Structure formats: structure tokens, C-alpha cells
Amino acid sequence: DGGITQSPKYLFRKEGQNVTLSCEQNLNHDAMYWYRQDPGQGLRLIYYSQIVNDFQKGDIAEGYSVSREKKESFPLTVTSAQKNPTAFYLCASSKRTGQFGEQFFGPGTRLTVL
Amino acid sequence: AQSVTQLDSQVPVFEEAPVELRCNYSSSVSVYLFWYVQYPNQGLQLLLKYLSGSTLVKGINGFEAEFNKSQTSFHLRKPSVHISDTAEYFCAVRDNTDKLIFGTGTRLQVFP
């Protein structure tokens, strides 16, 4: 079955530690996205990538970093510079931009910083 | 800039009653609109989308939405809800760089 996988589902880290969230897709999509979800705020875009080896900042990129070395993979690193990292993180992918923008979502990773 | 407003943060309704979840958008480009559903601790699933053509769009699970250009609205409706429809619903518009702009969500709570 084609889809998007995110791991782990739950992640606990101590304050000041960097942590990397995994996102893999086998839909052969060109574009991939990372969102952060907080209660009552909807989804906010962190980073997106339209093609391998290229990515762009979204609305709340500070304290986060990404890489796109392979088409299938778009890992997100939450660095110690992120002031309030506890949140639900969602990865998504879509066909090449310009084709209606429909995005498919992974199951999410809930990060809790203690 | 494009934006989406979901006017109701929570909508309580009894089972088998009709429901409408409201969404208004602003966009200066051709409008592509989406409704997604999110069950607790899960990702988002596409319910339906408007790209062009008929203004009444039918989606999965018996939901439908109507695109109203003059009122800049894309309200989601279901004639009879089930307990299993309890979830959070997000309206989204595609912006002029092909990214999605999401509303803040509406929590639909269906009571027996």
C-alpha cells in the first residue's frame, strides 16, 4: 500500500536536546511538507520541499532544520533553539506543485519535551 | 494573501441531526478549496475538494460542500451525522505558491 509513514508515534526528550522526526513516502510525490499542530491553532507550515536537494522555510521555521537527500524521505530536526517544541508534528506530500495542491498526510508524531 | 476562517471552534450536535461547518476564505487567485478530517491522534484525511466545475462537491462519508463565490464560502454539510463523525474538521485553500493555508479547525462532537 502506498502512503506516508512517520516515526516514532510518540517521542519524549529532555529540554536542550536535538531530536529528529522521520517521514517517508512511497507515493512517488515530488513535494513534501512539515506542519506543527497546537490546540486551537490549526496547522502551521514549518518547511517544505518541492524537489530533492531543495527546501524552503515555511511560516515557523525558526528552531527547526530539514534535509531532502532522497525523494522518499524528508526528516525534520527539532533543535534546542526551538523555544516550545512540545506539539503534534505532521508530515505531508503531494504531486508536483501546480497540480491542485492536494496533500496526503502521515499519522503524525507527538513530541513531548520534559 | 490567502486566508481561511472557520467561524465555529466547536459544534455539538445529536446523532442523526444535520450539521453545517462554516468556512470562509479570501483569495486573489483561482480558488482551490479542501476539507480535511482528523480523528484523535491521527493525521488528516481528505474529505472533499473543489477545483472547478459544479459548485456542489460530494465527498466521502456522506459529506458535501458548496462553493459560493459571491459569499467567499465553502461550508461543509451532512444531512444526518453519526457518532463516528466526531472529529476535527479543517478547511484549506491553496495559495498562489501552491501551499495550503489551513483554518484553525472545527471540533464536531456528536452526542447519542
Side-chain angles (χ1 to χ4, degrees), chain A residues 19 31 71:
Chain A
V19 61
K71 187 175 184 177

Side-chain angles (χ1 to χ4, degrees), chain A residues 9 35 37 42 45 48 88 90 97-98 100-103 105-107 110, chain B residues 34 36 38 41-44 46 49 51 90 94 98-100 102-104:
Chain A
K9 188 169 178 62
Y35 294 92
Q37 186 177 22
L45 184 64
Y48 65 103
F88 191 50
L90 288 161
T97 55
F100 314 130
E102 175 182 342
Q103 295 181 12
F105 284 80
R110 186 167 297 280
Chain B
F34 306 82
Y36 284 86
Q38 183 182 34
N41 290 313
Q42 294 185 27
L44 275 66
L46 183 68
K49 59 188 176 185
L51 306 178
F90 291 94
R94 194 192 78 167
D98 292 327
K99 297 192 301 293
L100 288 182
F102 286 87
T104 52

Side-chain angles (χ1 to χ4, degrees), chain B:
Chain B
Q2 288 76 23
S3 67
V4 174
T5 302
Q6 292 186 246
L7 298 165
D8 305 301
S9 60
Q10 294 188 59
V11 173
V13 64
F14 287 108
E15 195 173 18
E16 298 183 7
V19 71
E20 178 180 84
L21 306 183
R22 297 182 291 171
C23 173
N24 287 88
Y25 67 91
S26 68
S27 177
S28 58
V29 297
S30 298
V31 178
Y32 299 132
L33 293 157
F34 306 82
W35 274 101
Y36 284 86
V37 61
Q38 183 182 34
Y39 300 102
N41 290 313
Q42 294 185 27
L44 275 66
Q45 178 184 5
L46 183 68
L47 271 178
L48 49 80
K49 59 188 176 185
Y50 172 79
L51 306 178
S52 64
S54 173
T55 57
L56 184 62
V57 180
K58 293 192 182 297
I60 62 171
N61 301 341
F63 284 92
E64 62 182 33
E66 185 159 17
F67 170 60
N68 187 320
K69 188 174 181 178
S70 63
Q71 297 188 4
T72 61
S73 68
F74 190 54
H75 300 333
L76 181 70
R77 301 185 182 103
K78 186 170 183 178
S80 175
V81 295
H82 301 284
I83 295 284
S84 59
D85 292 322
T86 294
E88 186 135 25
Y89 293 79
F90 291 94
C91 182
V93 63
R94 194 192 78 167
D95 76 2
N96 56 359
T97 62
D98 292 327
K99 297 192 301 293
L100 288 182
I101 307 298
F102 286 87
T104 52
T106 297
R107 177 164 295 281
L108 175 64
Q109 180 74 54
V110 181
F111 294 94

Side-chain angles (χ1 to χ4, degrees), chain A residues 21-56:
Chain A
L21 280 58
S22 169
C23 177
E24 304 276 334
Q25 56 99 359
N26 60 3
L27 299 168
N28 199 32
H29 285 170
D30 291 291
M32 297 186 73
Y33 311 81
W34 273 106
Y35 294 92
R36 171 181 171 137
Q37 186 177 22
D38 297 279
Q41 295 196 46
L43 277 71
R44 293 183 290 169
L45 184 64
I46 305 173
Y47 268 98
Y48 65 103
S49 168
Q50 297 176 347
I51 196 169
V52 175
N53 292 323
D54 186 52
F55 48 83
Q56 309 295 328

